[in-house]
Amino acid sequence: MEVADVTAEEIEATGVPPVVAQRLHAALRRILSERGTSGPEAWDAISKQLLSPRLPFPLHQMLYYGCYRGFRPDPPPAWLPDKENAAATNIGRVLQKRGKELLGDKYKDPASSFPDLQAFSVANPEAYWKMVFEEMDISFPVPPSCILRCTNLYPGGQWLPGAYLNSASLCLSLNGNRNLDDVAIIWRDEGYDALPVNTMTFKELRTKVWLVSNALDTLGLPKGSAVAIDMPMTVTSIVIYLAIVLAGYVVVSIADSFVPKEIVTRLNIANAKAIFTQDYILRGEKKLPLYSKVVEAHAPLAIVVSARVSTTITGLRADDISWHNFLERVKHTKDIPYEPVDKPIEAFMNVLFSSGTTGEPKAIPWTHATPLKAASDAWSILDIRKGDVVAWPTNLGWMMGPWLVYASLINGASMALYHGIPLGSGFTKFVQDAKVTMLGVVPSIVRAWKDKNCTTGLDWSSIRCFSSTGEASSVDDYLWLMGRAHYKPVIECCGGTEIGSAFVSGTLLQPQALAAFSTSAPGCKIYILDGDGNPLPDNVAGIGEVALDPTMFGASTTLLNADHYDVYFKGMPIYNGKQLRRHGDIFMHTPGGYYRPYGRADDVMNLGGIKVSSVEIEQVCNSVNDTILETAAIGVPPSSGGPEQLFMAVVFKDQYQLEEEDLDKLKLAFNSALQKKLNPLFKVLVCSSPVTFLKIPSYYCDAFLLVAPVKGFIHRADGFSATNCFEQGYAKNSARAVVATIQDLMCFGGLL
């Protein structure tokens, strides 16, 4: 239905009281008469002048889709910048001040000139990054000899050669972005939602970090040693993180959800000499063990924090230390400044991990340059600045944990932490009470908020923008999210642990479409490869694997457990004299100039923001019981957009009729195996009716099941004709043949 045809009765049918529906209809008619009866201008006025979080979401949907019925090019913008707000952003202020200097006659105004600035950042990295460091007030104890040096050692060149820096010191030192009394961290413990939020100033944060750095030195570890953190994202873990870096050690990031097998893998790869952990994790009324998992992983010396401040820790291994006793060692140094250990810019400061396709995680070192990339993207893309409050539910084990530390603190903003589960009303109320201005999300979390409707009655008017990363997002879910904050934009970002932040994103100076990116990130250039592996021309629509220009500040140059060149460059095309960098995602460049993700080019899938290879899942599921011959895993993006759904094809050794009881047992077996051996966040869920069916030709394998944990069904497949998979080299009864057929059906619209 076109928006011009919407009646008061149809507005009422969405759940609006009759009197209110009449008033809204009159206001709608007025807006349409002033701004046109369809398209971006009409939607911009409707979203900002008519709709509010109190109105039923079906009304939001009806008006949004009504404005864009038949709209081309696709996707349509859900948010438009205005000139005044665009000029007030960090980038806008720079362009007003230095636009002519940087862009010459191309400069017009901040909004219309942003694409020219992005192109300038790629073509003139020396001038662009010099400007960024000046505007962000970044100083080097030992300055670099230049911004970028061409060298055969690195395909993208050597950045900031000769510079010395300490990334943690950038977060704590005083400059134009902060003073001692500014709030550095805002937090709240789960279950204390009625109490005021807690705050910590930069002065208090600095003092605590100094104390922990001094205590670290009592361990007698050589400078540069690796020290792991396996903890929830709390104020204490942030203090520990900064202290490790400030004292010249290297953080090893381990997510608190990992099982012992995954913990020991990461400890061994990074050669960690000590680990900070917690006795257990509080989640509502539950106490989830953490220290015991670290012990089971045969971790080195552990410093153990109590989940409850008043609790005394007992039962530690002989050489392990409680947090209280650890700090008691240096209580005499309280308030004494700790001299930062400055390091060469290329020195490691954090080892993070990203799944590969072989089952072993890639160990990706961040250097002291990487936090500058994270902070500069926050400054340019998300407009983070002094006075902002930045929240992003995450963990130090994933790249967004360290990213949040540097993105907020280096830019003088406050970091907002909720010590608990972010899926319910406790977290959404914290967003209100902390007056969050930039809320980062993962699509799965947004879906949980929407399903529970847990933002009802809350005031999110302090939010200036949202940001999203980690997995594909859904148009309807993010339309709902924008509506909770009176239609503030969602800035989509895509990058990776090896990038340090984003290579493609949105901005506050461009129209933003839902579930899409509007630009390459500043300093980055992306290419879409055609079927022959050649980059498509700029401004040409198409779909293919993404390749990156290698001249990208902050990106990784080495791996601890793999050959960096082989992983990211080997076999990639040479374009304009440069060998392009592999990323692994499939993207579409739309006719309207947006970018949309279409999953991985390899067999890595993204489940709830966690990248995991099909090999890892299959190895676990193959050994669930003796009846299984083999399994195959595939991530399927929903047709409506959003996070991938995991499908499992299971081939049995013998053909037999399975009863419902057998299916239930298999569900439980998969659940148990995946949670114990991979990640407790991976689940095979039982779904209520109606059950969704995926039909695959029965002649491809005599006995198999299809399992979709997100949708929650396990059902025998039968009778459906499709393209013959045997031409692709798969044998009958092969789970891989089933997966190939699923992929064919997805391509031809046969996925039911």
Side-chain angles (χ1 to χ4, degrees), residues 67-81:
C67 280
Y68 289 123
R69 184 174 176 81
F71 180 82
R72 294 291 182 273
D74 180 59
W79 178 84
L80 300 177

Side-chain angles (χ1 to χ4, degrees), residues 159-374:
W159 292 93
L160 306 178
Y164 274 66
L165 187 66
N166 187 292
S167 305
S169 181
L170 284 180
C171 296
L172 302 172
S173 59
L174 302 183
N175 57 26
N177 288 329
R178 73 182 72 86
N179 60 57
L180 289 177
D181 295 327
D182 288 338
V183 173
I185 303 178
I186 301 171
W187 81 95
R188 175 181 281 160
D189 294 330
E190 185 177 18
Y192 295 87
D193 304 326
L195 296 180
V197 296
N198 305 285
T199 61
M200 179 182 291
T201 65
F202 276 97
K203 180 180 180 180
E204 293 167 331
L205 174 62
R206 194 162 67 166
T207 299
K208 290 180 181 296
V209 170
W210 289 342
L211 186 67
V212 177
S213 291
N214 277 310
L216 273 164
D217 287 343
T218 68
L219 299 178
L221 303 176
K223 294 295 183 180
S225 296
V227 180
I229 301 177
D230 186 355
M231 295 178 64
M233 188 93 167
T234 63
V235 175
T236 300
S237 65
I238 299 303
V239 169
I240 292 168
Y241 181 95
L242 291 170
I244 293 172
V245 178
L246 191 74
Y249 303 102
V250 179
V251 175
V252 180
S253 293
I254 300 177
D256 62 356
S257 60
F258 280 140
V259 297
K261 176 185 174 183
E262 298 297 331
I263 296 172
V264 71
T265 297
R266 287 155 176 78
L267 291 173
N268 289 342
I269 290 173
N271 192 25
K273 302 301 183 183
I275 184 171
F276 286 87
T277 189
Q278 202 164 282
D279 51 0
Y280 51 81
I281 303 170
L282 297 176
R283 289 293 180 263
E285 300 299 321
K286 295 182 179 180
K287 293 168 57 175
L288 307 178
L290 186 54
Y291 173 66
S292 62
K293 292 197 297 182
V294 169
V295 171
E296 188 177 341
H298 303 292
L301 168 68
I303 299 93
V304 186
V305 178
S306 173
R308 297 189 187 278
V309 177
S310 59
T311 302
T312 301
I313 298 179
T314 59
L316 298 183
R317 295 179 303 181
D319 294 330
D320 291 344
I321 311 168
S322 72
W323 177 245
H324 173 77
N325 291 340
F326 178 68
L327 297 183
E328 278 291 304
R329 296 178 169 198
V330 291
K331 61 181 180 182
H332 61 282
T333 68
K334 187 178 180 181
D335 299 328
I336 298 177
Y338 186 95
E339 188 67 27
V341 178
D342 295 324
K343 292 282 191 174
I345 195 72
E346 67 273 12
F348 300 164
M349 46 73 60
N350 195 168
V351 177
L352 295 111
F353 298 86
S354 178
S355 291
T357 59
T358 62
E360 183 175 74
K362 289 180 294 184
I364 302 170
W366 277 17
T367 70
H368 285 274
T370 317
L372 297 180
K373 162 65 172 170

Side-chain angles (χ1 to χ4, degrees), residues 385-412:
R385 61 182 92 150
K386 178 182 173 69
D388 274 328
V389 178
V390 184
W392 204 316
T394 184
N395 183 269
L396 288 172
W398 309 114
M399 67 154 287
M400 290 311 299
W403 184 95
L404 177 61
V405 173
Y406 297 116
S408 54
L409 298 184
I410 290 179
N411 287 301

Side-chain angles (χ1 to χ4, degrees), residues 52-114:
S52 76
R54 297 187 303 274
L55 294 172
F57 181 58
L59 175 61
H60 294 241
Q61 291 175 297
M62 182 171 67
L63 297 181
Y64 172 76
Y65 289 111
C67 280
Y68 289 123
R69 184 174 176 81
F71 180 82
R72 294 291 182 273
D74 180 59
W79 178 84
L80 300 177
D82 61 64
K83 288 188 175 182
E84 182 179 348
N85 288 331
T89 62
N90 291 326
I91 287 292
R93 291 195 299 271
V94 168
L95 284 173
Q96 288 185 98
K97 181 172 60 175
R98 304 175 65 169
K100 286 289 185 181
E101 170 194 339
L102 298 173
L103 305 179
D105 293 339
K106 289 183 178 179
Y107 177 71
K108 297 179 179 62
D109 60 76
S112 60
S113 296
F114 176 81

Side-chain angles (χ1 to χ4, degrees), residues 463-537:
I463 291 176
R464 291 198 294 119
C465 74
F466 299 95
S467 186
S468 176
T469 192
E471 55 186 345
S473 52
S474 159
V475 170
D476 280 333
D477 288 349
Y478 276 25
L479 182 68
W480 176 87
L481 180 66
M482 289 179 65
R484 302 316 93 192
H486 301 277
Y487 283 93
K488 302 299 172 40
V490 177
I491 306 300
E492 298 267 6
C493 296
C494 182
T497 308
E498 71 281 6
I499 305 298
S501 190
F503 65 83
V504 64
S505 67
T507 71
L508 292 168
L509 292 91
Q510 299 172 288
Q512 297 304 307
L514 295 165
F517 311 96
S518 61
T519 180
S520 297
C524 302
K525 184 171 179 58
I526 70 174
Y527 300 91
I528 306 295
L529 304 182
D530 63 19
D532 297 322
N534 299 313
L536 293 172

